[in-house]
Amino acid sequence: MSGFQFFRPGDLALVLLLIAAPLYAIFQLNGAPGNDRQVIVEIAGQQQYVFPLQNNKTIPLDSFTRPVILQIENGSVRISENFCPKKICIQTGAIENPGQMIACVPLKLLIYIQAESGAEKSRQIEAITG
Amino acid sequence: MKPLPDNALPRREAHLAALVVLGLILFLFEAFIPKPLPWLKLGLSNIVTLIALYWYGPLSALMVSLIRILLGSLFTGTFLSPAFFLSLSGGLLAVLAMILLFRLNWFGIWGVSMGGAAAHQAGQVLTAWLFLFRNPLVLNLLAYLVLYSLISGTLIGWLGFLIINRLKKEFNF
């Protein structure tokens, strides 16, 4: 035993591993900001639409009898118009990262971001681990 | 009250018991600090596990860790709750990782501490993922927690280093 030490060479390797592995995982699960990201629109639990996040677009959702409009711009998405009573979904503002979501409860509308590569990874993880 | 004679209680058990008590104090102390996020703890009480490891070895560290977690959950009323199992799995994985790194000899106390901190988070998240939320985003959280554990691991490792050095002088080991 070479004595009681705070630092030994192995520590460096460990630190690098503990920095690199998480960063890699974050990149894999989320995709680079702006790229590979998709907007998923779910209505009543069913995935209805998928839009790329990079393309600026104004999208009226025609699943509803009255106007509900998505605005995709600058790598983020928000609801710009809705006929729901409380407009909480509009107040939620814009989302841009996987994991964030906009919800409109009365319309059973759910909008969230997914990374294209992340979606692949998620499905792979689900498939492997059941 | 007359003080106990020197041979009344084996020294090692007395020291380990003291470490458990200290760990509990630190644990309860931490419980009262407001935290930005529920899982972002400093993990101060892990320092006693580290001390037990370098002072009396792997088995002692394991005992100190498990007893500390058990008593801590009894004191805070979380025994057998989901939080308890998260804490237990995290703590268990952490001690095992620390023992492994300790035995391998390529790592200083800094590495041992960081490995323990990271393993702690991994154990908690894995348990949460297996038994609570089956969502790949949870692994995302793990990534951030591991990055954070580098800081807490370094802090605990450094404190442990200072304390163990003093203990070495005092108790000759």
Side-chain angles (χ1 to χ4, degrees), chain A residues 39-42 68-71 76-80 82 84 87-97 99-105 108-113:
Chain A
V39 180
I40 317 281
V41 180
E42 267 184 24
V68 177
I69 303 188
L70 283 187
Q71 183 75 32
S76 65
V77 63
R78 63 191 177 92
I79 297 182
S80 57
N82 197 337
C84 56
K87 311 269 190 275
I88 297 178
C89 48
I90 300 181
Q91 281 176 17
T92 309
I95 60 172
E96 57 188 1
N97 296 317
Q100 290 178 299
M101 54 178 59
I102 306 174
C104 179
V105 178
K108 299 191 187 148
L109 176 65
L110 188 63
I111 301 170
Y112 56 93
I113 312 276

Side-chain angles (χ1 to χ4, degrees), chain A residues 1-2 4-12 14-15 18-19 22-23 25-26 29-30 98-99 122 125-126 129-130, chain B residues 54 105-111 114-115 118 129 134 136-137 139-140 143-144 146-147 150 157-158 161 164-165 168:
Chain A
M1 291 265 188
S2 21
F4 178 59
Q5 295 162 299
F6 180 73
F7 175 79
R8 283 192 197 161
D11 296 343
L12 268 184
L14 188 63
V15 172
L18 291 181
I19 293 179
L23 289 180
I26 291 173
L29 289 176
N30 290 353
S122 304
I125 294 174
E126 290 287 328
T129 56
Chain B
Y54 278 89
N105 230 357
W106 308 321
F107 304 97
I109 193 174
W110 183 33
M114 278 195 302
W129 186 64
R134 280 248 177 188
L137 284 178
L139 297 180
N140 209 332
Y144 290 108
V146 167
L147 288 175
L150 290 175
W158 179 68
F161 181 67
I164 294 174
N165 272 330
K168 274 181 177 280

Side-chain angles (χ1 to χ4, degrees), chain A residues 14 18, chain B residues 93-94 97-98 101 109-120 149 153:
Chain A
L14 188 63
L18 291 181
Chain B
L93 200 61
M98 288 198 279
L101 295 176
I109 193 174
W110 183 33
V112 172
S113 180
M114 278 195 302
H120 189 101
S149 73

Side-chain angles (χ1 to χ4, degrees), chain B residues 57-68:
Chain B
L59 200 55
S60 301
L62 188 64
M63 283 198 301
V64 166
S65 180
L66 290 179
I67 295 176
R68 198 232 339 131

